[in-house]
Amino acid sequence: MTAHALETTHLNKMFGALKATTDVSFRLEKGARHALIGPNGAGKTTFINLLTGVLPPSSGDILLNGESIASVRREGRVRRGMVRTFQINQLFSGLSVIESLALVISERRGRGWNWFRPAAALADIDREISVLLRDFGLDAVFDQPCSALPYGKQRLLEIALAIACRPQVLLLDEPAAGVPEADRKEVMARIAALPSDVSILLIEHDMDLVFNFANRISVLVAGALFAEGSVEQISRDQRVKEVYLGGAGHD
């Protein structure tokens, strides 16, 4: 049997007497474009923190390509192929775009800060950087410091840095949050063009983006899986409309 890209089995998280995640059994298929939605306080952030190792589960298991990673540290999960982006950008503010990409690629290749060498010795890294700059529309700003980029470009750079890690599973935490309307289409278009062998879990509150991107949706309510299905099934589910789609608040 082929392993799922990512799977949780009976995942629980307790904070004292508070149960933040309740018996969540979830599957992300290989190559999926899957969205996770839910109202305020649904537990989406806790769930993602459990997946990425920020928080340890109280019970249950997390499987990446069929292997348990519940006890693996955050950096170990990245090395095994799970990478995330954040609601608030996590960039190297003191570095330029090209330096940031070079650093991440060099770390992945085990070269660390040795990328400060003549370009001729780094032709393979140069080629990879060129592809990422092109694919994410960053060619014109390659030499600018990350902190000086327009916010839409910062979002694109963060995703480019995630892809530079060569993920098998990519967790995108509200990638269009805070991005001006004029740039949102580009951000989502670049995400839609990501390699098909990268399995993507999108956490998002903008339902137009969700419906345009995902081929499957999971709904989390009060820390538990409330509904799951295709875009059409979720969009027609009256229970989902009552607790989320028709609600006033999202997180």
Side-chain angles (χ1 to χ4, degrees):
M1 182 189 300
T2 302
H4 304 287
L6 179 65
E7 183 176 5
T8 68
T9 57
H10 306 293
L11 197 63
N12 292 280
K13 180 61 183 177
M14 300 288 295
F15 293 104
L18 174 65
K19 202 164 191 178
T21 303
T22 305
D23 200 36
V24 175
S25 293
F26 167 85
R27 289 177 176 175
L28 179 71
E29 302 296 337
K30 291 190 174 181
R33 298 298 186 258
H34 198 130
L36 178 68
I37 66 173
N40 258 349
K44 300 190 298 298
T45 298
T46 298
F47 182 61
I48 296 304
N49 285 340
L50 290 169
L51 294 179
T52 54
V54 175
L55 293 172
S58 300
S59 62
D61 205 357
I62 304 166
L63 306 174
L64 182 64
N65 292 316
E67 295 185 3
S68 176
I69 58 168
S71 61
V72 175
R73 295 170 63 90
R74 280 180 276 183
E75 58 271 23
R77 298 185 195 199
V78 174
R79 287 194 294 268
R80 293 187 185 204
M82 180 192 292
V83 180
R84 76 174 289 185
T85 65
F86 295 82
Q87 290 183 30
I88 301 174
N89 286 330
Q90 306 286 309
L91 298 175
F92 306 111
S93 59
L95 299 182
S96 69
V97 170
I98 194 168
E99 288 170 342
S100 299
L101 289 168
L103 174 60
V104 170
I105 294 168
S106 296
E107 287 288 346
R108 191 198 76 223
R109 291 169 178 255
R111 296 180 181 177
W113 286 92
N114 289 328
W115 58 269
F116 284 113
R117 292 182 296 174
L122 298 171
D124 51 348
I125 292 180
D126 288 343
R127 283 192 292 270
E128 191 171 339
I129 290 172
S130 296
V131 170
L132 288 167
L133 290 173
R134 180 200 66 205
D135 288 351
F136 289 91
L138 297 168
D139 310 68
V141 296
F142 76 94
D143 58 347
Q144 293 187 20
C146 299
S147 57
L149 295 177
Y151 198 65
K153 292 296 185 186
Q154 289 186 13
R155 284 293 189 183
L156 288 171
L157 175 58
E158 188 180 18
I159 299 167
L161 292 171
I163 292 299
C165 295
R166 297 282 176 88
Q168 298 176 51
V169 171
L170 178 60
L171 311 177
L172 296 173
D173 194 351
E174 297 195 26
V179 177
E181 190 62 36
D183 299 327
R184 288 165 70 86
K185 286 186 179 179
E186 181 186 7
V187 170
M188 293 310 297
R190 301 285 182 181
I191 291 173
L194 291 175
S196 59
D197 59 347
V198 178
S199 308
I200 300 176
L201 178 60
L202 172 73
I203 300 90
E204 183 56 67
H205 72 272
D206 186 320
M207 297 312 300
D208 288 336
L209 294 183
V210 168
F211 288 157
N212 286 324
F213 172 81
N215 50 32
R216 191 163 183 82
I217 299 173
S218 296
V219 185
L220 203 64
V221 176
L225 275 180
F226 180 78
E228 192 169 72
S230 67
V231 171
E232 182 178 4
Q233 289 171 326
I234 295 301
S235 65
R236 292 183 177 182
D237 191 318
Q238 188 59 39
R239 300 176 310 138
V240 174
K241 291 180 181 179
E242 290 173 358
V243 302
Y244 180 68
L245 298 180
H250 314 300
D251 68 359

